[in-house]
Every structure is written in structure tokens, then in C-alpha cells.
């Protein structure tokens, strides 16, 4: 059984674009002793599951049961979808696992992602 994360909100930070967003799930075991390959799939809330906006292979060429993506990469993907600076999108997402012959999918979860806004990083006074 694959278990995606519960519903959540991710606010991307323009002051830390290299910070990672990590999505994890339980491993799927193949009865054929073949590699299981995973994809993280997302579609806009209110649309059909078949209308994928994003489909990203998991880490290690699809073999790991996690997806690691930087905030900058995720923000760029949202830009490519037409989202403006600071805009949010609510995505339904699921994991698909395949061993080449059979594909299984998790239940759908929801995540709201807010694009970068024009921020300023924290700073310290170095001298009086």
C-alpha cells in the first residue's frame, strides 16, 4: 500500500530557492522481483485525474519512494503553468507505481502551493 502525505500547504520562499520540497510514500513490492518505478502526478483541483499538469519521476531514476525537488524548480514549473507571482494553486496529486506490466496508484491527496513572492532575507546588524 502506498500512503501519500496528508493534505498540506507549501509556501515557496524566493529567499531560499535551493531548499528542497520532499514528498515520500511507502514502498511498493513487486511480486515479479522487478524494479518498481514511481511518478508523482498532479492535476488541478476540480479537473479530471487524466488532465495531468505535472508528472515527475521520483528520485534515483524513478526507483526511490520519494521525490525531491527544489523550491526554485517547483516555482519554475508553476510559472510554466501560467501562475503569477504570489498566486496559489490547489493540486490533487497521487503516486503511480509500475513494474512494467502492472501500474498501481495511491488515493488522491491535496496540496496548495503558493508561488514565490518578492521577499527580503533576514539580516543582522554587524556594527553600531
Amino acid at each position: 500500500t502506498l500512503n501519500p502525505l496528508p493534505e498540506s500547504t507549501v509556501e515557496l520562499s524566493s529567499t531560499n530557492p535551493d531548499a528542497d520540497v520532499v514528498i515520500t510514500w511507502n514502498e511498493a513490492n513487486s511480486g515479479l522481483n522487478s524494479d518498481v518505478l514511481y511518478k508523482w502526478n498532479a492535476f488541478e483541483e476540480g479537473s479530471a485525474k487524466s488532465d495531468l499538469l505535472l508528472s515527475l519521476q521520483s528520485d534515483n531514476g524513478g526507483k526511490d519512494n520519494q521525490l525531491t525537488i527544489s523550491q526554485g524548480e517547483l516555482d519554475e514549473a508553476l510559472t510554466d503553468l501560467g501562475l503569477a507571482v504570489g498566486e496559489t494553486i490547489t493540486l490533487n496529486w497521487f503516486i503511480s507505481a509500475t513494474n512494467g506490466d502492472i501500474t498501481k496508484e495511491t488515493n488522491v491527496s491535496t496540496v496548495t502551493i503558493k508561488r514565490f513572492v518578492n521577499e527580503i532575507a533576514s539580516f543582522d546588524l554587524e556594527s553600531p
Side-chain angles (χ1 to χ4, degrees), residues 108-124:
V108 174
S109 289
T110 303
V111 64
T112 299
I113 304 173
K114 182 176 181 180
R115 276 214 49 225
F116 285 166
V117 293
N118 190 13
E119 297 177 299
I120 188 168
S122 300
F123 62 97
D124 294 316

Side-chain angles (χ1 to χ4, degrees), residues 15-38:
T15 61
N16 197 7
D18 294 329
D20 288 332
V21 174
V22 180
I23 302 166
T24 61
W25 54 89
N26 290 345
E27 247 183 283
N29 295 317
S30 173
L32 303 174
N33 295 323
S34 57
D35 288 336
V36 175
L37 300 177
Y38 302 99

Side-chain angles (χ1 to χ4, degrees), residues 3 16-17 21-23 35 42 44 51 64 66 68 74-75 81 84 96 99-101 105 111 113 120:
N3 295 309
N16 197 7
V21 174
V22 180
I23 302 166
D35 288 336
E44 192 164 9
D51 295 332
D64 289 351
Q66 78 173 30
T68 306
L74 187 53
D75 189 69
L81 294 177
S96 60
N99 66 357
D101 294 327
E105 298 175 348
V111 64
I113 304 173
I120 188 168

Side-chain angles (χ1 to χ4, degrees), residues 1 12 22 26 40 62 72 80 83 93:
T1 303
L12 303 178
V22 180
N26 290 345
W40 180 81
D80 292 345
L83 268 69
W93 65 275

